[in-house]
Amino acid sequence: MAEAGYNTFLLRSEDVYIDLLTDSGTSAMSDRQWAGMMLGDEAYAGSRNFYHLEEAARNYYGYRYFVPTHQGRGAEHLLSQAVIKPGHYVPGNMYFTTTRLHQEMAGGTFVDVIIDEAHDPANLHPFKGNVDLDKLESLIKRVGANNIPYVSLAGTVNMAGGQPVSMANVRALRELCDRYGIRIYLDATRMVENVFFIQEREKGYADKSVAVILKEFCSFTDGAWMSAKKDHLVNIGGWLAVNDSDLFDTLRNMVVIYEGLHTYGGMAGRDMEALAIGIAESVNDAHVRSRVEQVRYLGDLLINWGIPIVQPVGGHAVFLDAKRIYSHLSQDQFPAQTLVAEIYLDSGVRSMERGIVSAGRDSETGDHRYPALELTRLAIPRRVYTQAHMDVVAEAVKAVYDARKQTRGLAMVYEPKYLRFFQARFEPIT
Ligand code: P71
């Protein structure tokens, strides 16, 4: 830990026992996806794997035009540069690190319009990812619809603890945005997992398949971007899809500057084939259920032991409430980062900070942003770990929790300019 500056991003994976740093690019590909890897058509232009991928994305998500990218942030970059102008405001249901940075670098200001319940780890609202339509409408009235290029809507909101958006909310959002002529672009990275919660919790959806609900949800939006490294069960890949043909022209032209030709966008042919197959596998109802229920299994163990976590348990990860666990530490002693380090030291389990370090500094004042949520994330890769691994993780968290009163915080001794959580270094406060 000392060598890694108390930052789990700086560890070598061979020094990790159970790796819950992220569910991004870490899932296991199926036999069918691996078979697809052998069918790579590595032509520079017009690879047949591209057409399979385009067709799969269109089939399951329903958007008209498709642009491949190397991963999610490649798509965020293109969309942000294409539609955000300096002075614009981009409302969204809580920030995500890379998403907000690309919006800011294009000259926009991100405005959080998620419902208040999302900022309270203990609140049991079933759809804590919902947009607060009153907050959005007052922003529109304050800055004018012309200064809002789109609403940045995310499925299972990552920083809120993997919390879903309801179908009723996206439908109402569509109506509001139509009244003002504002577009909605969806971060579909974990939209399949969001759909599982709609199927489970929202009236009228219990008998509909994940695939059917997914298509309905997307129909209320104007386009989407995707980090395929999550829902789509691949190690690398992403895409962007929109309904507007002029915007598509722009994006298809930009992709050749930053990612690669518009028929590969930074992916090898074999990567596109594995991704096309992964899209179809991702909407299998039994798969999604077992995935989310494994996360819930871990969460329920911790809840039963009285350890404070974000509830309801989210789709891709269990989020420990470091603010409550280390209530004796101030937020600038980095409670969530401290918890990350302690869990690793106890058991070699790797997790990730999602609190003040991740939130970064205010671009105007230069001060830390102090987010309400100070969380440590245990993200579960798909199709990788067993229930026995979850038991080990739970016991590690319990051991660290039991020693909480003796635990001191950290000081940041090195801070990079962008996305500081990846490379920052810390030392224990003595
Ligand atoms: C996650 C990641 C990967 C990551 C990114 C930044 C900091 C730490 C870890 C990536 C996402 C995401 C959402 C909702 C866009 C991206 C970027 N998540 N939207 O959770 O969760 O996609 O990584 O493919 O570029 O560990 P990308």
Side-chain angles (χ1 to χ4, degrees), residues 28 34 53 97 151 177 215 227 232 239 290-292 296 302 308 310 319 322 337 344 365 375 395:
W34 277 107
L53 170 57
T97 53
V151 173
C177 288
K215 196 91 164 267
S227 169
H232 292 167
W239 51 260
S290 78
R291 189 277 186 288
V292 176
R296 202 177 283 162
L302 300 176
V310 174
F319 289 75
Q337 188 76 37
Y344 176 73
T365 67
L375 308 173
E395 285 167 22

Side-chain angles (χ1 to χ4, degrees), residues 272-338:
M272 293 191 282
E273 192 63 32
L275 172 48
I277 295 167
I279 291 177
E281 290 184 357
S282 77
V283 297
N284 177 298
D285 287 74
H287 157 70
V288 193
R289 171 173 296 277
S290 78
R291 189 277 186 288
V292 176
E293 289 193 343
Q294 184 179 41
V295 176
R296 202 177 283 162
Y297 172 82
L298 174 60
D300 285 346
L301 286 176
L302 300 176
I303 292 168
N304 288 338
W305 290 338
I307 300 171
I309 69 170
V310 174
Q311 294 194 56
V313 177
H316 65 301
V318 171
F319 289 75
L320 309 173
D321 186 352
K323 231 183 220 179
R324 271 174 65 202
I325 293 173
Y326 293 141
S327 52
H328 58 292
L329 298 183
S330 61
Q331 201 167 3
D332 56 12
Q333 294 174 328
F334 309 112
Q337 188 76 37
T338 303

Side-chain angles (χ1 to χ4, degrees), residues 42-99:
E42 306 302 345
Y44 189 89
S47 158
R48 54 171 74 84
N49 311 122
F50 168 75
Y51 298 103
H52 293 166
L53 170 57
E54 182 185 48
E55 195 189 334
R58 199 173 281 149
N59 255 342
Y60 290 102
Y61 290 79
Y63 304 109
R64 249 171 253 143
Y65 305 108
F66 178 85
V67 179
T69 63
H70 79 284
Q71 62 182 83
R73 68 198 74 175
E76 289 170 343
H77 176 222
L78 299 182
L79 180 66
S80 301
Q81 291 294 329
V83 305
I84 299 171
K85 302 279 167 288
H88 274 172
Y89 293 84
V90 186
N93 54 344
M94 201 172 271
Y95 85 99
F96 184 72
T97 53
T98 58
T99 315

Side-chain angles (χ1 to χ4, degrees), residues 176-242:
L176 177 67
C177 288
D178 279 348
R179 263 194 279 134
Y180 290 97
I182 296 173
R183 297 253 167 102
I184 304 169
Y185 292 116
L186 176 67
D187 182 340
T189 297
R190 297 185 185 82
M191 194 56 223
V192 169
E193 290 164 0
N194 193 112
V195 161
F196 171 77
F197 290 116
I198 292 175
Q199 192 186 52
E200 183 181 63
R201 296 176 186 167
E202 201 163 349
K203 205 164 166 270
Y205 289 95
D207 297 328
K208 292 190 175 156
S209 69
V210 165
V212 163
I213 303 171
L214 177 65
K215 196 91 164 267
E216 180 181 336
F217 193 101
C218 293
S219 74
F220 294 113
T221 68
D222 299 290
W225 74 92
M226 182 79 197
S227 169
K229 302 171 71 171
K230 284 77 165 175
D231 271 356
H232 292 167
L233 302 158
V234 287
N235 305 119
I236 193 70
W239 51 260
L240 185 56
V242 297

